[in-house]
Amino acid sequence: MLSQCPHCQKDLNFDEEQKQKIRAALSGLKTGTLKLGCPFCKQAILLRADGSAAPEKAAVPEQDVAGTVKPPAYPDISWMANDICDTQAVLEDVPKVLILMAEGAARDAVAQAFVELGYQTSFPESAGDAVEQMRFVNFAAVVLHSPFDGGFADSKFHHYMSRMPMTRRRGTYYVLVGPEFHTLYDLEAMAYSANIVVNDAEVRYFPTILKKGRQDHDELFGPYITARAAN
């Protein structure tokens, strides 16, 4: 399925529910295309039945060799997915979390904890994909599982986070998860430029760990953030 707007090149970041609606609309196409609107540049995106982008064409009736006009294409059924773009626009104001973890129970537990706090979740396919998404989206939180990027010691994504300018970094809650970390060990988190660290063995308690970690973060940095916002 198309993941990037063909006009402005920004990532569409549809969640699973939105993707299901698009697939349902595409499955009803016989001929023609499905029309959606980019939530960023607002231009029309035309999708073929296979989910790939189709070039925009002027609606000129086609003629066969005999000169007779062919019947018009099947009616546009994009109304089935109209609420996709409306939902996407609303979600622009919702805090977003980027979760770099392989599919499984651990990722589900982490994602559910953020969803319960009102976050929109995004699951990049690779470290490169994650960095690309962060170029266009301001994520309020990022979770990295140490094995995700081929080994934490050589993790390109962690290197990217560690070197991020503080003007942007302080607005991103960075969580490291892995077998080498000691849950809620502040000195270890500080050494890795993270906000909290979580051991794999305690991921099942992630909702409680996240709430505790954010509470400590707000108590420590809340006055500083408020003071900066007032200036």
Side-chain angles (χ1 to χ4, degrees):
M1 181 179 296
L2 189 71
S3 60
Q4 201 173 58
C5 173
H7 305 293
C8 66
Q9 307 304 315
K10 289 189 176 182
D11 293 331
L12 297 174
N13 293 327
F14 292 127
D15 61 27
E16 191 56 39
E17 181 180 355
Q18 292 166 336
K19 289 179 182 179
Q20 289 178 0
K21 291 178 180 179
I22 294 175
R23 293 190 188 101
L26 291 174
S27 66
L29 286 176
K30 305 301 181 184
T31 61
T33 57
L34 175 69
K35 183 177 180 181
L36 300 175
C38 174
F40 301 104
C41 67
K42 310 303 180 185
Q43 295 193 57
I45 302 172
L46 303 181
L47 298 181
R48 301 185 183 93
D50 63 0
S52 62
E56 293 190 61
K57 297 180 180 179
V60 178
E62 296 182 9
Q63 296 186 347
D64 61 19
V65 178
T68 58
V69 178
K70 290 184 177 181
Y74 287 88
D76 182 7
I77 60 169
S78 59
W79 56 269
M80 293 178 63
N82 275 348
D83 64 330
I84 294 172
C85 294
D86 293 339
T87 303
Q88 187 76 2
V90 171
L91 289 177
E92 287 304 302
D93 296 327
V94 173
K96 301 173 180 63
V97 56
L98 189 67
I99 303 177
L100 290 79
M101 299 180 72
E103 290 186 37
R107 191 180 81 171
D108 291 345
V110 170
Q112 184 59 34
F114 278 101
V115 169
E116 290 176 357
L117 293 177
Y119 283 74
Q120 177 191 358
T121 57
S122 181
F123 307 103
E125 296 179 358
S126 64
D129 179 31
V131 171
E132 190 67 18
Q133 288 193 43
M134 293 195 72
R135 289 178 55 195
F136 301 104
V137 180
N138 289 322
F139 287 96
V142 173
V143 180
L144 172 64
H145 191 215
S146 58
F148 182 85
D149 195 11
F152 185 66
D154 301 316
S155 172
K156 294 180 180 179
F157 183 80
H158 178 65
H159 181 76
Y160 170 81
M161 289 294 298
S162 299
R163 291 182 174 270
M164 182 180 293
M166 188 51 64
T167 52
R168 184 182 181 192
R169 173 65 184 83
R170 67 168 58 97
T172 304
Y173 194 76
Y174 187 32
V175 182
L176 290 174
V177 181
E180 62 269 71
F181 303 126
H182 301 81
T183 300
L184 291 176
Y185 186 25
D186 291 338
L187 288 179
E188 188 173 43
M190 185 180 301
Y192 290 119
S193 301
N195 293 98
I196 60 171
V197 289
V198 182
N199 187 274
D200 281 348
E202 279 83 53
V203 169
R204 62 184 182 276
Y205 306 120
F206 192 81
T208 302
I209 294 169
L210 179 61
K211 290 176 182 177
K212 170 62 175 171
R214 289 193 61 83
Q215 180 181 345
D216 291 346
H217 177 269
D218 291 343
E219 290 177 355
L220 181 60
F221 295 106
Y224 173 72
I225 294 173
T226 301
R228 284 187 57 87
N231 294 332

